[in-house]
Amino acid sequence: MIPSVNPSGDRTIGLLAYLYGPGKHEEHTDPHLVASFDGMAPDPGRDPDVTLKDLQQLLDQPVQALPKHARPAKHVWHTSVRTAPGDRTLSDAEWAEVARRIVAATGIDPGEGQPGCRWAAVRHADDHIHIVATLVREDGSRPDDFRSGKRAQAEARLIEKEFGLLRVVPGDGTAAQRPTSAERHKGAQQGRERTAREELRETVRRAVAGAAGEEEFFDRLAAAGLLVRTRVAPSGDLLGYKVALPDDRNAQGEPVFYPGARLAPDLSLPRIRERWSADAQAGGGLGSPPPAGPTAPSAARRRTARAAWEALLVVDQGEDAVVAAYVASTGEVLDALAKTSAAHTRHELREAAWAYERASRSHVRAVRGHDRALRQAARDLVHGGPALGRGEDGATTAMAIDMLFFLIVAAAHWHARKGHAQQAEAAQRAAEHLRAAYRTAAQQPLAALHQRGRRLARPLLRRQSAVVREAIPELAEQVLAEPGWPALAATLADAEAAGHDPAALLAEVSGRRELGTADSLSDVLVWRLRRAADLPADTTSASSAAAVRDSSTGAASEAERARPRRR
């Protein structure tokens, strides 16, 4: 349940006209009172003999009773109270109780014999009410409504629990502005999956992901089909920007523009510039993207996996300001990965990026520059181009998702330790979407590795079992019992054939980060080993198959040589 307090209105009649009117886009249905300060206020919505003026005069009476010089210029207090999507529809009686509790908690009408203000609660939709009050009490004094917004939020948490509603996580003021009910209604009428404001926020985030400077950023916005207007100082310096969707128009047929800061706090031009200036200070700006070609998407995903792996250590052990930078840049990587991945993983990756957006900001001010490797990974993903859903592209997508999953879980833990409840919850939701995307992306390459592992010669399989027991003795029996063990055995054989010490390599990749959040330890170790040993992620291509045959043959020959000969 989300209260949104606005304590600074000056025209009671104007607000009532909106609440009882059709709405900006005909979204208001059956406007009527559900509660009032005395339970007997006239209702212009249900009583044809009552006018808006009647209700306004009743509410404003204590204000008008004061001498003109003593009347507050801003005397209208207003809040909407909305249930969360998915909550049940409350009855009018339940909304009346909500209204009475909110005005009592905020000091508007504390009850229990204390003087209060006059107020009325209007319902014109299933999921919310509006409470309008006048900020002069019956005795002519002003109410104690200091920090009424925070008080309303605290009471809403209690109401959620008692009414069995979704428990909203308390915010900290760093969230992006929510779409208004009018924006949601307009988006539904236009058949949009998300409102115009939300579509613009997602598009701008993708445009800034890994961008090296203003020119590239604005080129990406234009390429995405957005209308862009900039604000320029008399000196010629660029001060800001705003964007619009070409088909989102107001009543006059003009495009509806949103400044970057109204899309999200970190999308204002000054905040975006912080990334570019920090990149330049850290190492001369972001590097040139890899040359385009058939291997570019898979190469970018390998670099992303490596950057995420290295970022894990920082998020686990780094200073808060540095961690905040890594946490923010992880969002850029997710945006870039969602933008460039194949259709079968794109939806879950897009949802992961959308959920994680809330986790990318907090009151811990990020010291940018340290996160350059992650921003470079986002840049490489964008310039690497769209990936196929099969072959090395598909397999390295699974590898990158696997690494990002653990990075985002680490970010969730960091937020939880800092008391950032909304951000921690958002990161966990993003991790669940990544888990779903991983299952889709990893299915084919892991199945191929599984089949190879099942065909390994028994002596070689026993040797790889011994490697596991030597490298990770505390996890060995669990790993060897998992369905994914054959794929890990095949990967250990490939690493050995490539000249690595499989036991040392396995100990290294398993010891640098916890594995408790993994669905399958063997799957996680497969991708960590293949990344660390620079092995092909996909073993079904012709080149990979040749390398696999060579390694399997060599290992089998070694096993044959080691076998005692019969006399």
Side-chain angles (χ1 to χ4, degrees), residues 91-380:
S91 66
D92 279 357
E94 288 175 313
W95 275 123
E97 182 180 347
V98 169
R100 285 189 287 268
R101 291 180 61 167
I102 292 293
V103 294
T106 54
I108 296 299
D109 188 6
E112 298 182 353
Q114 301 180 63
C117 300
R118 296 190 177 188
W119 59 272
V122 179
R123 182 179 189 180
H124 56 209
D126 284 343
D127 65 345
H128 70 279
I129 59 171
H130 292 261
I131 306 173
V132 54
T134 47
L135 293 174
V136 176
R137 296 190 292 195
E138 297 288 356
D139 62 1
S141 62
R142 294 293 301 271
D144 178 17
D145 63 333
F146 178 66
R147 302 183 74 183
S148 59
K150 288 188 176 295
R151 295 192 208 173
Q153 292 287 350
E155 187 65 22
R157 303 294 80 78
L158 299 175
I159 294 171
E160 289 162 358
K161 183 178 180 180
E162 295 175 28
F163 280 42
L165 304 176
L166 177 70
R167 306 288 293 278
V168 175
V169 180
D172 62 359
T174 61
Q177 184 176 337
R178 293 170 56 87
T180 65
S181 57
E183 289 172 348
R184 286 195 299 274
H185 182 76
K186 183 179 180 182
Q189 284 190 323
Q190 295 174 339
R192 298 184 188 278
E193 181 182 353
R194 294 187 173 124
T195 65
R197 181 197 298 273
E198 291 169 325
E199 283 190 28
L200 288 168
R201 184 162 79 241
E202 182 178 49
T203 304
V204 173
R205 285 183 63 85
R206 288 185 174 188
V208 80
E214 284 181 11
E215 182 177 358
E216 183 177 11
F217 171 58
F218 286 111
D219 284 348
R220 289 188 188 182
L221 292 179
L226 300 189
L227 303 178
V228 183
R229 290 182 182 171
T230 55
R231 184 162 56 91
V232 181
S235 63
D237 294 333
L238 184 62
L239 298 178
Y241 73 98
K242 56 184 178 181
V243 289
L245 296 174
D247 58 346
D248 181 37
R249 306 260 168 176
N250 60 20
Q252 290 72 43
E254 300 167 335
V256 180
F257 281 90
Y258 293 83
R262 284 186 58 201
L263 299 177
D266 55 345
L267 294 182
S268 68
L269 188 59
R271 292 292 300 276
I272 292 173
R273 279 173 169 160
E274 290 177 5
R275 315 181 197 197
W276 301 327
S277 60
D279 290 337
Q281 293 170 7
L286 297 182
S288 299
T295 63
S298 59
R301 278 152 176 74
R302 280 187 172 275
R303 284 189 286 272
T304 296
R306 185 178 303 112
W309 175 256
E310 293 169 355
L312 269 170
L313 296 180
V314 178
V315 174
D316 276 342
Q317 304 169 13
E319 297 179 1
D320 284 342
V322 176
V323 172
Y326 276 83
V327 167
S329 292
T330 299
E332 292 192 48
V333 176
L334 277 177
D335 286 322
L337 190 62
K339 179 180 180 179
T340 59
S341 287
H344 69 308
T345 56
R346 190 178 304 139
H347 172 74
E348 290 292 350
L349 290 174
R350 183 188 180 199
E351 291 300 315
W354 182 256
Y356 187 81
E357 186 266 345
R358 180 66 190 96
S360 64
R361 295 182 302 274
S362 70
H363 281 304
V364 178
R365 190 61 180 267
V367 176
R368 309 301 295 245
H370 302 278
D371 56 333
R372 186 169 175 268
L374 282 177
R375 291 212 351 101
Q376 183 68 53
R379 181 173 178 77
D380 291 348

Side-chain angles (χ1 to χ4, degrees), residues 17-31:
Y18 168 73
L19 297 181
Y20 277 95
K24 294 181 179 179
H25 303 283
E26 304 295 327
E27 72 271 22
H28 296 173
T29 58
D30 186 24

